[in-house]
Amino acid sequence: MTNKYCRGDIDILLSAEDIHKRVAEIGSQISKDYQGRDVLLVTVLNGSFIFCADLVRNIDLDCKVDFMSVSSYLGTQTQGKVKVVSGIKEDIIGKDVIIIEDIVDKGFTLDFLIREISLKKPKSIKTCVFLDKKCAREKEVIVNYSCFEIGNDFVVGYGLDCDGFFRTLPYVGKIKESV
Ligand code: IMP
Ligand code: MG
């Protein structure tokens, strides 16, 4: 399938420069908060792969990184149901877990992830999201670290996709209403 949109259809909301500055700030905050602790970063694929890659290079800790994959969305429409597609391989018991997520929208995915990971008895769980669509929340969920709060627009880039496309953009944008 080819992309029905082109790069010219996107209005930039966050530049690559803004993103790198903010991700570095969040990385150093996490480094300070978690000094001397046994940290496991749980990255949620696919959307968080770029955020994770940039964030970990700004975290000055000897921590491990693992990945899990969940599915909840089809294109721009929610399916309303979250399921694990592939789980964590690292041992979680006694670890200080930080969930790395691309975006929290209605909140169902992050809520599901927190409940799912809690079952594996970590010492603590916190959440770190690249984008927070606070105004779209339907399920209350605690966001401990957030890079940017955005409005209720469907956004792409920096890992976030529309039908699998646009993940590779170095910036975040929304598809123009005129297209
Ligand atoms: P929630 O369960 O409604 O909070 O949805 C969170 C998930 O939906 C995220 O992990 C994304 O994969 C996807 N999602 C929500 N909003 C957007 C968006 O604006 N662009 C791309 N993906 C999105
Ligand atoms: Mg996601």
Side-chain angles (χ1 to χ4, degrees), residues 93-125:
I93 298 172
K95 297 265 167 68
D96 289 306
V97 171
I98 306 174
I99 301 172
I100 311 290
E101 177 61 313
D102 53 357
I103 188 165
V104 52
D105 182 11
K106 296 192 181 78
F108 295 116
T109 308
L110 199 55
D111 176 67
F112 171 84
L113 288 162
I114 293 167
R115 284 187 287 111
E116 190 72 17
I117 294 169
S118 299
L119 297 173
K120 299 179 195 284
K121 308 257 181 290
K123 186 174 174 191
S124 68
I125 304 183

Side-chain angles (χ1 to χ4, degrees), residues 15-168:
S15 70
E17 201 187 351
D18 292 341
I19 293 169
H20 286 127
K21 223 175 114 201
R22 184 67 182 138
V23 171
E25 282 172 8
I26 295 293
S28 52
Q29 187 61 53
I30 290 174
S31 310
K32 275 191 210 127
D33 296 348
Y34 282 86
Q35 272 307 318
R37 291 166 68 180
D38 194 2
V39 177
L40 175 66
L41 302 171
V42 173
T43 302
V44 187
L45 296 173
N46 295 332
S48 309
F49 79 112
I50 292 181
F51 177 42
C52 168
D54 282 347
L55 183 69
V56 292
R57 286 175 289 173
N58 286 282
I59 294 180
D60 188 16
L61 296 170
D62 285 324
C63 57
K64 289 190 175 181
V65 187
D66 203 351
F67 302 89
M68 67 185 288
S69 171
V70 296
S71 71
S72 57
Y73 271 74
L74 203 60
T76 55
Q77 290 290 305
T78 177
Q79 285 181 302
K81 233 182 131 60
V82 187
K83 61 173 192 209
V84 175
V85 176
S86 106
I88 306 161
K89 285 137 215 101
E90 284 290 335
D91 193 8
I92 287 187
I93 298 172
K95 297 265 167 68
D96 289 306
V97 171
I98 306 174
I99 301 172
I100 311 290
E101 177 61 313
D102 53 357
I103 188 165
V104 52
D105 182 11
K106 296 192 181 78
F108 295 116
T109 308
L110 199 55
D111 176 67
F112 171 84
L113 288 162
I114 293 167
R115 284 187 287 111
E116 190 72 17
I117 294 169
S118 299
L119 297 173
K120 299 179 195 284
K121 308 257 181 290
K123 186 174 174 191
S124 68
I125 304 183
K126 283 198 174 173
T127 58
C128 175
V129 305
F130 173 56
L131 299 176
D132 186 354
K133 269 192 212 178
K134 216 174 232 172
C135 55
R137 205 75 92 247
E138 289 179 18
K139 181 88 198 170
E140 206 181 311
V141 68
I142 295 172
V143 175
N144 301 103
Y145 302 95
S146 151
C147 291
F148 300 97
E149 194 177 317
I150 60 163
N152 199 6
D153 295 308
F154 191 82
V155 295
V156 293
Y158 200 71
L160 292 147
D161 73 304
C162 179
D163 292 331
F165 290 103
F166 293 131
R167 289 193 199 280
T168 56

